[in-house]
């Protein structure tokens, strides 16, 4: 079974340029997450989707970041304009959440990430 | 104070040694707990869930102390392939699906 797919794997841009990341979750997974991981730190959640609805975007810097998950499958994360401090690895993860109460231990599967360098 | 705190290490131990990692969390209402493993330049992968009664998976033992808000991971008979960063992860009650990661503890097993 294919895992979470992300592209591109690497991206180098100059500051103030726009950039977009794409994620294809595991087939059948209804919940999708975008995380940012800075060097030497653990991943931090940016946004979580349940199907096509963004249910938690409290950590998403909305002045420059946007995300969408059309049709509840693939997702894109965009930064416009990028800043030097946005250099990080952007990880997408997915999980199957069938019951909010029951599923406490459901596993999130991560993609390989996109390593962004802003010059 | 960070929601999940870990000693970042690095830990350098000889092959065959026993090594233990600790983690504390600040939200007493946290629902579930995990250890993830992350190899260099790779994505995090679930190593094991941590249950209230403690649980073991081969050479790995996880413990949870809810009163002290403390989680531990013990690796016995360490192998070279255990070299990685170990992330302590807590699932918050907020929406029940938000994972909060510690910064990770870097482990190197030396031959």
């Amino acid at each position: 079974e294919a895992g979470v797919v992300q592209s591109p794997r690497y991206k180098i841009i100059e500051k103030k340029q726009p950039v977009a990341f794409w994620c294809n979750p595991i087939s059948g997974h209804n919940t999708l997450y975008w995380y940012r991981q800075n060097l030497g730190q653990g991943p931090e959640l940016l946004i979580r989707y349940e199907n096509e609805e963004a249910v938690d975007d409290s950590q998403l810097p909305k002045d420059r970041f946007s995300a969408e998950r059309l049709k509840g499958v693939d997702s894109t994360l965009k930064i416009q304009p990028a800043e030097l401090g946005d250099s990080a690895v952007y990880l997408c993860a997915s999980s199957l959440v069938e019951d909010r109460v029951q599923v406490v231990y459901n596993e999130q599967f991560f993609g390989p990430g996109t390593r962004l360098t802003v010059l | 104070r960070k929601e999940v705190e870990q000693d970042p290490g690095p830990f350098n131990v000889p092959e065959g040694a026993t090594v233990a990692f600790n983690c504390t969390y600040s939200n007493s209402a946290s629902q579930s707990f995990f250890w993830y493993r992350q190899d260099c330049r790779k994505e995090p992968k679930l190593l094991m869930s941590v249950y209230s009664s403690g649980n073991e998976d081969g050479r790995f033992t996880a413990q949870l102390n809810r009163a002290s808000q403390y989680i531990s991971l013990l690796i016995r008979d360490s192998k070279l392939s255990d070299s990685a960063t170990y992330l302590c992860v807590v699932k918050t009650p907020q929406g029940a699906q938000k994972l909060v990661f510690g910064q990770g503890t870097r482990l190197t097993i030396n031959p």
Side-chain angles (χ1 to χ4, degrees):
Chain A
E1 179 181 317
V4 176
V5 179
Q6 289 188 248
S7 68
R9 292 294 311 279
Y10 303 90
K11 190 73 176 179
I12 301 173
I13 61 171
E14 293 187 346
K15 63 180 181 182
K16 301 185 181 178
Q17 295 299 306
V19 65
F21 314 125
W22 175 80
C23 173
N24 180 241
I26 291 173
S27 177
H29 280 192
N30 56 355
T31 305
L32 184 146
Y33 315 76
W34 282 103
Y35 289 86
R36 176 170 59 190
Q37 185 171 24
N38 292 310
L39 188 65
Q41 301 296 317
E44 294 178 316
L45 181 69
L46 292 173
I47 189 168
R48 171 168 67 92
Y49 283 93
E50 287 185 10
N51 300 303
E52 63 274 8
E53 181 184 0
V55 296
D56 183 358
D57 63 355
S58 57
Q59 302 300 313
L60 190 71
K62 297 181 183 62
D63 57 336
R64 298 182 299 106
F65 286 64
S66 64
E68 61 181 9
R69 190 185 184 198
L70 299 176
K71 301 181 181 179
V73 182
D74 295 1
S75 177
T76 56
L77 177 68
K78 298 178 182 178
I79 308 174
Q80 183 170 8
E83 297 179 352
L84 294 177
D86 296 331
S87 295
V89 176
Y90 291 82
L91 294 160
C92 179
S94 71
S95 65
L96 177 61
V97 178
E98 295 175 298
D99 183 303
R100 287 175 186 262
V101 175
Q102 171 197 5
V103 187
V104 177
Y105 289 97
N106 68 299
E107 181 176 355
Q108 292 186 19
F109 294 85
F110 285 81
T114 297
R115 185 174 297 272
L116 173 68
T117 301
V118 182
L119 303 175
Chain B
R1 182 184 173 189
K2 293 182 179 179
E3 285 190 72
V4 180
E5 295 204 60
Q6 293 182 252
D7 180 347
F11 284 55
N12 290 282
V13 301
E15 191 175 8
T18 295
V19 60
F21 305 135
N22 303 319
C23 166
T24 58
Y25 60 96
S26 61
N27 190 335
S28 60
S30 297
Q31 293 188 334
S32 47
F33 312 88
F34 311 88
W35 285 99
Y36 274 68
R37 170 190 168 132
Q38 187 170 25
D39 292 302
C40 187
R41 292 185 167 264
K42 299 288 188 180
E43 71 273 22
K45 293 184 179 179
L46 179 65
L47 178 65
M48 60 195 302
S49 301
V50 186
Y51 302 120
S52 295
S53 55
N55 50 298
E56 189 174 303
D57 183 2
R59 298 180 293 107
F60 298 83
T61 301
Q63 297 281 348
L64 168 65
N65 184 323
R66 284 190 182 269
S68 301
Q69 296 179 205
Y70 170 98
I71 306 159
S72 67
L73 176 68
L74 183 77
I75 306 175
R76 293 183 302 277
D77 187 23
S78 55
K79 311 292 184 189
L80 296 177
S81 57
D82 294 333
S83 296
T85 295
Y86 290 84
L87 297 158
C88 176
V89 187
V90 172
K91 185 172 284 187
T92 68
Q94 179 186 355
Q97 296 303 326
K98 179 178 178 179
L99 294 184
V100 180
F101 287 77
Q103 72 175 102
T105 298
R106 187 170 176 182
L107 172 66
T108 300
I109 306 298
N110 302 307

